[in-house]
């Protein structure tokens, strides 16, 4: 006998625990329904979603326009493989390249696959354009990076939990500290065989580390000087999350006069995923100009599902929603409102050290060591009060609601968060 439906949270948790690999440690909340900024558990309790599936649902849960595109296209044609053309892919490729200002796109499915793809393109460019001797190409990465979970990607992780006992590891990566331009300058000057510098414009998984404002543009200049490709992994920061269409903002098409943007730092390879589909389907992409993308020729790379008609139709709709609903602008304005309100609380708090972030990608640092359980307990208390967030690296709590959130909802959430935090303040 197998269960055919779930009648309680306990039952769902027990099934996952018994039959699923234990590769996650979720909060004990079993979700059944989502709409906009809200999700509901199987008991019918409503929560604000302040994780947004790691920024995959920037457009809000089950956005009607995006789910309609999914339904319509799945009933018409779902998958052809790239052995044949389909009538959606070209439309999508035109849309995404025009939106982000690149000549070409290579469509994949997950973020990790897109990062892998960028690494392959960069290495091949290194041999064929930069003329690096065979098998000598190196890629510079940053400490505390997060780029996904494949064997190659965890080979250059600095997180032992992600890396230990998965070796032997892929060679050819040099790690330098994040937000350290002198270190980048030194390594690029010391080795002529470097093909690329792979970087997150803001380190999300590491705990929302925002680099100096000039970091990316300085990195851009150094890469150009040394004929090294700049690869921006915007899987989490891209698609309006940080208050611009892209955090690297080489080209911001948010069409907003107030867009201060960040200094010009257009990458050579742009990696997108997560919110590219609004969270309803795995869609990822690598974008580049022709000089770089043309190193890829038939047979050299591919994916059965990459560029399928559902993915194409869904991603077009998801990108249109970002523009139509001005999500970048909303993220910028409400992100500032959120940080200012929390800062006011933190000024007299003992339990919270600081708030940091950009747009609606923010985090607070709890005054506890990373092995402590205060942040976890705060997240449990937040969930009881109807707000879902999750600690990262022990004492950091990320706050990243869907970008369709309103000012009243942000204020409501600030009230919930500060009420919960005050219960954790040490008694005077
Ligand atoms: C989530 C994430 C990835 C990996 O995406 P998956 O779809 O989980 O493979 C890569 N890079 C960054 C910056 C991410 O946040």
């Amino acid at each position: 006998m197998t269960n055919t439906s779930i009648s309680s949270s306990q039952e769902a948790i027990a099934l996952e625990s018994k039959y699923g690999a234990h590769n996650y440690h979720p909060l004990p909340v079993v979700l059944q329904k989502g709409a906009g900024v809200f999700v509901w558990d199987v008991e019918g309790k409503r929560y604000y979603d302040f994780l947004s599936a790691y920024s995959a649902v920037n457009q809000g849960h089950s956005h009607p326009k995006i789910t309609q595109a999914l339904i319509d296209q799945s009933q018409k044609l779902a998958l052809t493989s790239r052995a044949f053309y389909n009538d959606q892919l070209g439309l999508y490729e035109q849309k995404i390249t025009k939106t982000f200002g690149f000549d070409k796109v290579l469509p994949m499915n997950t973020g990790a696959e897109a990062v892998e793809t960028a690494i392959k393109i960069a290495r091949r460019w290194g041999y064929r354009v930069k003329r690096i001797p065979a098998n000598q190409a190196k890629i510079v990465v940053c400490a505390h990076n997060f780029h996904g979970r494949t064997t190659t990607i965890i080979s250059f992780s600095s997180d032992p939990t992600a890396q230990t006992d998965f070796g032997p590891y892929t060679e050819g990566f040099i790690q330098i500290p994040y937000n350290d331009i002198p270190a980048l300058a030194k390594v690029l000057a010391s080795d002529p065989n470097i093909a690329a510098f792979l970087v997150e414009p803001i380190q999300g998984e590491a705990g929302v580390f925002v680099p100096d404002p000039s970091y990316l543009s300085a990195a851009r200049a150094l890469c150009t000087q040394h004929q090294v490709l700049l690869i921006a992994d915007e899987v989490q920061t891209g698609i309006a999350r940080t208050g611009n269409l892209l955090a690297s903002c080489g080209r911001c098409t948010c069409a907003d006069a107030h867009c201060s943007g960040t200094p010009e730092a257009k990458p050579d390879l742009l990696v997108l995923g997560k919110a590219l589909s609004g969270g309803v389907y795995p869609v990822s992409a690598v974008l580049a100009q022709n000089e770089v993308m043309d190193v890829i020729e038939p047979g050299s790379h591919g994916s059965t599902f990459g560029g399928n008609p559902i993915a194409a139709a869904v991603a077009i709709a998801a990108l249109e929603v970002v523009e139509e609903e001005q999500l970048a602008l909303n993220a910028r304005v409400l992100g500032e409102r959120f940080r200012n309100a929390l800062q006011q609380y933190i000024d007299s708090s003992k339990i919270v050290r600081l708030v940091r972030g950009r747009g609606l990608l923010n985090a607070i640092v709890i005054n506890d060591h990373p092995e402590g359980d205060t942040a976890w307990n705060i997240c449990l208390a937040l969930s009881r009060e109807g707000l879902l967030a999750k600690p990262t690296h022990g004492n950091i709590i990320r706050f990243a609601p869907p970008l369709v959130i309103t000012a009243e909802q942000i204020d409501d959430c600030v009230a919930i968060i500060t009420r919960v935090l005050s219960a954790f303040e040490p008694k005077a």
Side-chain angles (χ1 to χ4, degrees), residues 19-43:
Y19 296 107
H22 292 182
N23 56 331
Y24 279 89
H25 179 44
L27 281 178
V29 174
V30 180
L31 302 173
Q32 190 174 53
K33 196 176 98 173
V37 297
F38 295 113
V39 284
W40 286 261
D41 69 15
V42 296
E43 279 81 22

Side-chain angles (χ1 to χ4, degrees), residues 24 53-54 109-115 146-150 153 200-205 233-237 271 273-274 282 284 398:
Y24 279 89
Y54 301 99
N109 312 284
T110 67
E113 281 180 322
V115 172
F146 183 85
H147 298 290
R149 301 296 199 163
T150 63
I153 291 170
E200 299 158 83
I202 292 172
Q203 287 192 326
E205 291 310 298
D233 179 349
E234 296 232 29
V235 171
Q236 187 160 159
T237 53
V271 184
K274 291 192 171 127
S284 68
R398 173 174 28 199

Side-chain angles (χ1 to χ4, degrees), residues 269-344:
L269 288 158
L270 171 66
V271 184
L272 297 174
K274 291 192 171 127
L276 191 46
S277 69
V280 308
Y281 201 81
V283 182
S284 68
V286 178
L287 292 119
Q289 305 295 40
N290 286 332
E291 308 90 87
V292 174
M293 196 65 95
D294 285 349
V295 301
I296 294 297
E297 53 204 25
S300 61
H301 191 61
S303 160
T304 302
F305 281 86
N308 73 71
I310 295 180
V314 160
I316 291 172
L319 288 173
E320 283 174 357
V321 167
V322 171
E323 291 158 21
E324 288 160 6
E325 303 189 15
Q326 297 202 302
L327 296 187
L329 177 62
N330 203 48
R332 184 155 64 250
V333 172
L334 295 189
E336 218 171 291
R337 188 183 183 102
F338 181 75
R339 279 187 304 281
N340 288 343
L342 279 190
Q343 188 57 55
Q344 250 184 26

Side-chain angles (χ1 to χ4, degrees), residues 316-395:
I316 291 172
L319 288 173
E320 283 174 357
V321 167
V322 171
E323 291 158 21
E324 288 160 6
E325 303 189 15
Q326 297 202 302
L327 296 187
L329 177 62
N330 203 48
R332 184 155 64 250
V333 172
L334 295 189
E336 218 171 291
R337 188 183 183 102
F338 181 75
R339 279 187 304 281
N340 288 343
L342 279 190
Q343 188 57 55
Q344 250 184 26
Y345 174 84
I346 292 167
D347 285 342
S348 59
S349 169
K350 299 225 159 24
I351 196 72
V352 188
R353 262 182 232 157
L354 58 91
V355 60
R356 65 180 172 226
R358 192 189 297 162
L360 280 171
L361 182 60
N362 295 294
I364 56 172
V365 180
I366 301 299
N367 209 354
D368 190 7
H369 48 93
E371 293 76 38
D373 58 4
T374 312
W376 178 263
N377 290 330
I378 289 172
C379 288
L380 285 177
L382 285 170
S383 77
R384 284 193 292 272
E385 296 297 316
L387 189 147
L388 294 179
K390 208 168 168 229
T392 175
H393 293 276
N395 62 338

Side-chain angles (χ1 to χ4, degrees), residues 121-370:
I121 295 170
R123 283 180 168 184
R124 193 170 250 203
W125 173 90
Y127 300 121
R128 296 195 174 176
V129 178
K130 190 171 176 176
R131 301 278 166 205
I132 294 172
N135 295 318
Q136 299 297 305
K138 291 182 201 116
I139 292 176
V140 177
V141 299
C142 291
H144 307 296
N145 66 71
F146 183 85
H147 298 290
R149 301 296 199 163
T150 63
T151 312
T152 286
I153 291 170
I154 60 102
S155 293
F156 55 82
S157 169
S158 41
D159 179 358
T161 317
Q163 195 184 55
T164 304
D165 291 338
F166 291 128
Y169 303 109
T170 307
E171 289 174 42
F173 297 94
I174 306 172
Q175 200 178 90
I176 61 168
Y178 188 62
N179 195 23
D180 189 337
I181 287 297
L184 180 63
K186 192 167 157 215
V187 74
L188 294 187
S190 71
D191 191 335
N193 294 338
I194 293 172
F197 174 46
L198 168 61
V199 67
E200 299 158 83
I202 292 172
Q203 287 192 326
E205 291 310 298
V208 189
F209 282 102
V210 184
D212 298 335
S214 62
Y215 179 58
L216 273 192
S217 48
R220 168 71 279 175
L222 280 171
C223 286
T224 304
Q225 183 192 336
H226 292 279
Q227 201 192 1
V228 163
L229 299 179
L230 177 64
I231 309 175
D233 179 349
E234 296 232 29
V235 171
Q236 187 160 159
T237 53
I239 331 271
R241 170 54 60 186
T242 66
N244 290 111
L245 194 55
L246 296 174
S248 57
C249 207
R251 172 193 166 106
C252 187
T253 52
C254 60
D256 166 25
H258 308 287
C259 178
S260 55
T262 44
E264 179 84 10
K266 183 170 182 169
D268 299 294
L269 288 158
L270 171 66
V271 184
L272 297 174
K274 291 192 171 127
L276 191 46
S277 69
V280 308
Y281 201 81
V283 182
S284 68
V286 178
L287 292 119
Q289 305 295 40
N290 286 332
E291 308 90 87
V292 174
M293 196 65 95
D294 285 349
V295 301
I296 294 297
E297 53 204 25
S300 61
H301 191 61
S303 160
T304 302
F305 281 86
N308 73 71
I310 295 180
V314 160
I316 291 172
L319 288 173
E320 283 174 357
V321 167
V322 171
E323 291 158 21
E324 288 160 6
E325 303 189 15
Q326 297 202 302
L327 296 187
L329 177 62
N330 203 48
R332 184 155 64 250
V333 172
L334 295 189
E336 218 171 291
R337 188 183 183 102
F338 181 75
R339 279 187 304 281
N340 288 343
L342 279 190
Q343 188 57 55
Q344 250 184 26
Y345 174 84
I346 292 167
D347 285 342
S348 59
S349 169
K350 299 225 159 24
I351 196 72
V352 188
R353 262 182 232 157
L354 58 91
V355 60
R356 65 180 172 226
R358 192 189 297 162
L360 280 171
L361 182 60
N362 295 294
I364 56 172
V365 180
I366 301 299
N367 209 354
D368 190 7
H369 48 93

Side-chain angles (χ1 to χ4, degrees), residues 74-94:
S74 65
Q75 290 175 339
K76 213 149 102 198
L77 181 66
L79 182 64
T80 60
S81 86
R82 298 286 302 277
F84 313 106
Y85 290 89
N86 71 66
D87 71 350
Q88 296 299 306
L89 181 56
L91 294 171
Y92 163 58
E93 290 174 333
Q94 181 179 49

